[in-house]
Amino acid sequence: MKPLLFTNKDLQKLITPMIVEQLLAVLVGMADTIMVAAVGESAVASVSLVDNINVLLIGLFMALATGGAVVAGQFLGHGDVKKASSAAQQLVFFMALFSVLIMALVYVGKWFILHIVFGQIEPDVMAYADTYLMIVTASIPFIAIYNAGAAIFRVQGNSAVSMKVSILMNGLNAAGNAILVLGLHSGVEGVAIPTLISRIVAAVMIISLLFSQTLTLHLSRKMKIQFDWGMIRRILRIGIPSGVENSMFQLGKLVLLSLISTFGTVAITANAVSNTVAAFAILPGQAIGMGMVTVVSQCVGADDHEQVRFYTKKLMKYAIGAMAVTNLLVMAAIPLITAAYQLSPETARITRQILIFHSICAIFIWTFSFTLPNALRAANDVTFAMVVSLLSMWFCRIVMGVILGAWIGLGVLGIWIAMILDWCVRSLFFLTRYHSGKWKKKKKLI
């Protein structure tokens, strides 16, 4: 094996800020939900419904950012810093254009989202959702640009910068929520306005920092908005399959949300709280998965498949260990969680069932379903990952969710059982694919 591309110190420097960044985002999300709970369970339900749209879009932007990170990482591993910087610059250009188009599409399709996607929701939930959606949609271009900038810093091993910007963004968001919701007793707009302002600040700051010419990957100070469609096609070769996968995954969750909405506000709220807490439980696996993209893409660019296997195994061990810690913490904190959200006894009971079931399964299954496939994506094996994820989601998560939740009558718990079945199927296929070595035959992007 060639000299190692990443020391243990390099991995720690890369991954630790990502975990902190993910933790901050989740904690602020939990704080948002807790603060909006003061408005009522209908407000919690409305914010949860709209945030599923936001998660869908953020997942799409993160997938496109991953495409840019993989291309830039492979160029870095190959030693071509100039092409790597070009990939970074084109990623920012394309993300800005694409996100503005998406924002316009959301505004045009607002009625469809509120009345068709969200299904049969109560009038007060509808009113809150309308207000929240109108405000946070304006933040779409800014969160997209932030994700592009964060991916560029991560792929050059400088994830501490994106972490610091994230601290500022989430700090502004939390402070704004506290002032508007708790201090001025605003409704859901008290959560939406700080989200918009914090995302604007984060996008401006991270792009400004990328103009530093001392960075390995940076934006040119004489930057002209000029699209290099050859480079963009490279980015989209990774970004489109990953984006389709992420978007369809979130779309599937929205389909199930329409089903959950028929179970009533108790089910919607239990699902919302469980989703927020589950995001904390899986955050180390997500952070290490992002680190996997940086590490594996550079190993692929250096034509060193042995190091791909070495680092994949090492990072998977880190992920499993960290997931065990966070999920055990979640199970221990369930009484505090249900009390903090001021849940009714029935909502608390359902939430408790979901969180215990989710945490136990996440320790043993989640990383093979979501962290491991990032190694395949970074090695350009994105189509396989997309096909497996889509088929597993629709046949396991959606079909079985309807069967278990509605037909058998397990309600929202049945939806979560179907989700774990989806994890199991994904894990089986991704483990088989990785050990087959077929990803080694995929054409590089450089």
Side-chain angles (χ1 to χ4, degrees):
M1 187 165 63
K2 300 176 184 177
L4 293 176
L5 293 175
F6 297 88
T7 64
N8 288 336
K9 186 176 180 180
D10 292 333
L11 293 177
Q12 182 181 3
K13 184 180 176 183
L14 174 67
I15 292 169
T16 301
M18 290 185 185
I19 293 177
V20 173
E21 183 178 346
Q22 293 289 308
L23 177 61
L24 283 170
V26 170
L27 290 177
V28 169
M30 293 174 68
D32 285 356
T33 311
I34 290 171
M35 282 187 274
V36 84
V39 183
E41 286 199 357
S42 294
V44 175
S46 68
V47 170
S48 168
L49 289 170
V50 176
D51 276 349
N52 277 277
I53 299 291
N54 288 328
V55 169
L56 186 154
L57 295 176
I58 291 172
L60 175 61
F61 298 141
M62 289 182 68
L64 292 172
T66 296
V70 169
V71 174
Q74 290 190 15
F75 276 120
L76 281 177
H78 194 63
D80 193 337
V81 176
K82 185 177 180 180
K83 284 283 184 69
S85 286
S86 175
Q89 190 156 289
Q90 290 301 311
L91 173 63
V92 172
F93 289 161
F94 181 78
M95 196 77 90
L97 174 63
F98 181 69
S99 60
V100 169
L101 294 175
I102 292 295
M103 178 184 67
L105 184 63
V106 173
Y107 277 128
V108 170
K110 186 187 77 165
W111 185 92
F112 179 82
I113 293 170
L114 292 174
H115 293 86
I116 305 301
V117 174
F118 291 166
Q120 301 174 359
I121 56 178
E122 297 169 7
D124 53 347
V125 177
M126 176 71 73
Y128 282 133
D130 189 0
T131 300
Y132 188 67
L133 179 64
M134 286 297 295
I135 298 171
V136 297
T137 297
S139 72
I140 287 174
F142 301 102
I143 193 63
I145 291 170
Y146 166 76
N147 274 291
I152 294 167
F153 275 109
R154 290 175 191 135
V155 79
Q156 56 189 311
N158 200 350
S159 56
V161 171
S162 62
M163 177 194 71
K164 291 173 183 175
V165 175
S166 178
I167 290 173
L168 175 64
M169 176 172 64
N170 287 294
L172 286 173
N173 193 12
N177 291 342
I179 293 170
L180 294 179
V181 176
L182 301 182
L184 301 179
H185 305 290
S186 300
V188 292
E189 66 273 14
V191 179
I193 292 171
T195 297
L196 172 59
I197 294 172
S198 64
R199 288 178 175 179
I200 292 172
V201 171
V204 171
M205 177 165 286
I206 204 159
I207 292 300
S208 299
L209 292 171
L210 279 171
F211 280 105
S212 173
Q213 305 302 293
T214 61
L215 297 171
T216 303
L217 301 184
H218 56 265
L219 302 178
S220 171
R221 288 178 178 171
K222 298 179 180 179
M223 182 175 64
K224 294 180 180 180
I225 300 178
Q226 185 174 1
F227 292 96
D228 179 349
W229 293 106
M231 186 64 76
I232 289 173
R233 278 194 293 272
R234 286 186 171 110
I235 293 171
L236 294 182
R237 275 182 57 190
I238 302 295
I240 287 179
S242 296
V244 169
E245 178 186 337
N246 275 301
S247 298
M248 290 299 102
F249 177 75
Q250 295 302 327
L251 180 61
K253 290 179 69 175
L254 288 175
V255 170
L256 291 175
L257 268 178
S258 295
L259 175 61
I260 292 170
S261 69
T262 66
F263 300 152
T265 301
V266 167
I268 296 174
T269 305
N271 186 67
V273 173
S274 297
N275 273 324
T276 302
V277 177
F280 168 78
I282 64 174
L283 72 86
Q286 289 181 319
I288 293 170
M290 290 190 293
M292 187 90 75
V293 171
T294 296
V295 173
V296 172
S297 64
Q298 292 195 32
C299 293
V300 170
D303 284 318
D304 196 332
H305 292 134
E306 191 175 349
Q307 287 203 49
V308 170
R309 288 192 176 277
F310 174 79
Y311 285 117
T312 299
K313 184 177 180 180
K314 174 174 280 195
L315 291 174
M316 285 296 292
K317 287 181 178 178
Y318 289 170
I320 293 169
M323 289 280 288
V325 172
T326 54
N327 281 278
L328 289 172
L329 285 174
V330 164
M331 286 190 283
I334 287 174
L336 296 176
I337 293 167
T338 56
Y341 281 104
Q342 305 173 45
L343 300 179
S344 64
E346 179 63 12
T347 306
R349 182 186 66 81
I350 296 172
T351 302
R352 189 181 307 111
Q353 289 178 338
I354 292 172
L355 290 178
I356 291 174
F357 178 65
H358 175 274
S359 294
I360 293 172
C361 295
I363 294 172
F364 299 102
I365 308 170
W366 193 92
T367 51
F368 299 103
S369 181
F370 292 97
T371 305
L372 179 61
N374 272 1
L376 299 177
R377 296 182 185 104
N380 309 323
D381 199 6
V382 285
T383 302
F384 178 84
M386 177 189 70
V387 171
V388 168
S389 296
L390 292 183
L391 292 177
S392 178
M393 181 195 70
W394 286 103
F395 285 102
C396 296
R397 190 175 295 225
I398 304 297
V399 174
M400 291 304 299
V402 172
I403 292 172
L404 295 172
W407 295 1
I408 295 179
L410 294 177
V412 68
L413 180 60
I415 304 296
W416 285 73
I417 293 172
M419 179 183 71
I420 304 303
L421 177 61
D422 175 34
W423 294 1
C424 294
V425 173
R426 288 169 185 258
S427 298
L428 177 63
F429 277 94
F430 290 142
L431 279 167
T432 302
R433 182 71 166 189
Y434 175 73
H435 287 296
S436 74
K438 291 182 180 179
W439 49 271
K440 297 178 183 178
K441 300 176 183 178
K442 295 296 175 179
K443 184 179 178 181
K444 290 193 297 183
L445 299 171
I446 59 178

